[in-house]
Amino acid sequence: MASSLPRSSGILLAVTSLPSRFGVGDLGPAARAWIDALASAGQTWWQVLPVGPFGAGDSPYASYSTFAGEELLISPEDLVAEGLLEASDLEDATFSDSQADYDAVRPARERLLRRANEKFRTASPRFQDDFERFWNDESSWLDDWALYAALKGAANGTAWMAWPDGIRKRDAGALERTRNSMRRAIGDAAFRQFLWHRQWTELRRYAAQRGVRILGDLPIFVAMDSCDAWSSPDVFLLDADRKPSVVAGVPPDYFAKDGQLWGNPLYDWEALRRDGYAWWVRRAKHAARLFDLTRIDHFRGFQDAWHVPAGAKTAKEGKWVPGPGAAFFDAVRQSMGGLPFLAEDLGIITQSVRDLREKVGLPGMRVLQFAFDGDPRNPFLPENYDSNTAVYTGTHDNDTTTGWWEALPEADRHRVRTHLGFDGHDVAWKFIRVAWSSRAALAIAPLQDVLILGSDARMNIPGLARGNWRWRFTERHPLQERLEGLRGLTSESGRLAKR
């Protein structure tokens, strides 16, 4: 299949993994420096992980909102530049740059955002006009998010499923009384989203000026404890008491022997179909405003999803239930005028899932670490790609390629060495060279592979509830040297970005 993507390449790096003295990467100077580095290295794409408010276990894939942005990503330095903080305000907000320490960072960041809000109240009318315009333009999601955030803050983080009945079930009178009594907290939550989206928009503009495009990530499902499930219950398979009878997951596969029990609410696709998939269309349009291209995580769920009974201990229990299929993508395409998406078609993939992806024309994903099982028909082998493909050395769910290699049994290592014709030295860069030279239109490597890092730089272990999403790179890593080598390889393989 011909590709709609230009022949190009890029690097996968979470925003939180950027260097920063504030304990977690953000949208400020380090993000702009990273974009400059990508441009200098001839890369077209910066792929990020989801940027919504991080949920359970600090996971970007368990976000509290599909529309809001994570407040930790707001740059304190840029708030100083805009006059919303003083440089002295930052003195008590400095942390180690070795790993993202979300629990330690949040109280300090909360203090800074409160100070910024206080300063904003005396800011110029132009600034306040911009905020009011933003709130008006984004009210379709921001009204609900600001109320949800205010309520969650007042409840010390308690999940909405345990809120009082009137609020939990969105009784109109109860919501109106709450809006009146929590007006200040609601305004504060909306203001933080104004800051986040303002900084994100500026970063997008900065990237575009340098020929760097942003590849975003959109989890197919939302968290049960999310503004989305609370504010739009009719979109999901919830009963009258707002409880799910089934939740999302995947059966056992090469990521997890017990499967993955995600616990997300599942969609009521029939209800969505009746109104033209309106909620999803809003979601897709919002993603298209944030990103140049969006990876849809767990594309398989549009063909059929693994329904696990609520209360099950593992994802082994469950069954596949049909999804909306091509009709959904037809509706989105008609509304948006295109489908700026990349399909994450990993895991247990049937012919029907492959047929759906090809029918709607989305590029699929291939991961080199899955290629070498000895089967010449393995779809992850580079010789089996079509051009409408994005090839990865590994993803955020994999070990780093160096760590993967070090844990690989010798028989498997021999198979890889024989197939690729190399001695096993610098396997991460060998994989990058193989990916970049393949037929796939898009080639992506996590920064950990570019830096040839081991398992201690792994981003996520699927099924592990805590301790993930912490890796960060620092100025101690030999970034410039590695990116110079990547630029040469990118030029050789015909992927050099056209500025």
Side-chain angles (χ1 to χ4, degrees), residues 5 68 88 105 129 163 185 215 250 292 322 332 354 400 402 435 450 496:
L5 287 172
S88 58
V105 169
D129 289 346
W163 292 352
L215 202 171
V250 288
D292 297 289
V332 174
R354 288 188 284 271
T400 67
T402 298
V450 177
L496 203 63

Side-chain angles (χ1 to χ4, degrees), residues 33-71:
W34 171 243
I35 287 169
D36 290 341
L38 286 170
S40 179
Q43 302 308 300
T44 302
W45 296 96
W46 174 14
Q47 180 169 345
V48 298
L49 298 185
V51 291
F54 304 152
D58 306 312
S59 173
Y61 292 91
S63 180
Y64 292 124
S65 171
T66 194
F67 296 99
E70 169 54 58
E71 295 173 5

Side-chain angles (χ1 to χ4, degrees), residues 64 148 160-161 168 170 222-236 238 242 265 279:
Y64 292 124
Y148 172 90
W160 70 263
M161 299 83 78
R168 181 167 57 86
R170 296 180 61 82
V222 303
M224 185 64 198
D225 183 18
S226 67
C227 179
D228 312 294
W230 173 67
S231 63
S232 303
D234 293 344
V235 169
F236 305 96
L238 304 178
R242 303 294 196 265
W279 182 88

Side-chain angles (χ1 to χ4, degrees), residues 87-98:
S88 58
D89 291 331
L90 309 186
E91 292 173 1
D92 61 351
T94 300
F95 297 86
S96 165
D97 65 354
S98 59

Side-chain angles (χ1 to χ4, degrees), residues 319-351:
K319 63 179 181 179
W320 291 109
V321 175
F328 165 80
F329 291 99
D330 291 342
V332 174
R333 191 196 307 270
Q334 184 174 359
S335 179
M336 296 181 64
L339 292 174
F341 302 117
L342 166 66
E344 185 273 291
D345 53 346
L346 306 175
I348 300 173
I349 300 301
T350 63
Q351 187 59 47

Side-chain angles (χ1 to χ4, degrees), residues 392-439:
Y392 290 70
T393 57
T395 75
H396 63 277
D397 280 334
N398 296 100
D399 199 347
T400 67
T401 296
T402 298
W404 167 83
W405 178 257
E406 290 173 348
L408 207 61
E410 179 53 36
D412 293 336
R413 287 196 200 183
H414 178 73
R415 186 159 48 239
V416 176
R417 287 194 295 262
T418 301
H419 192 99
L420 297 182
F422 86 120
D423 62 5
H425 181 67
D426 279 350
V427 65
W429 268 82
K430 179 62 177 180
F431 270 37
I432 291 172
R433 180 172 292 278
V434 169
W436 261 237
S437 62
S438 75
R439 293 181 59 211

Side-chain angles (χ1 to χ4, degrees), residues 51-53 65 67-73 141 145 192-193 196-197:
V51 291
S65 171
F67 296 99
E70 169 54 58
E71 295 173 5
L72 286 180
L73 303 185
W141 64 269
W145 167 256
R192 293 177 182 200
Q193 289 305 305
W196 189 96
H197 281 79

Side-chain angles (χ1 to χ4, degrees), residues 290-301:
L290 296 181
F291 311 118
D292 297 289
L293 183 69
T294 304
R295 170 190 181 269
I296 299 182
D297 191 51
H298 196 59
F299 172 81
R300 159 140 207 184

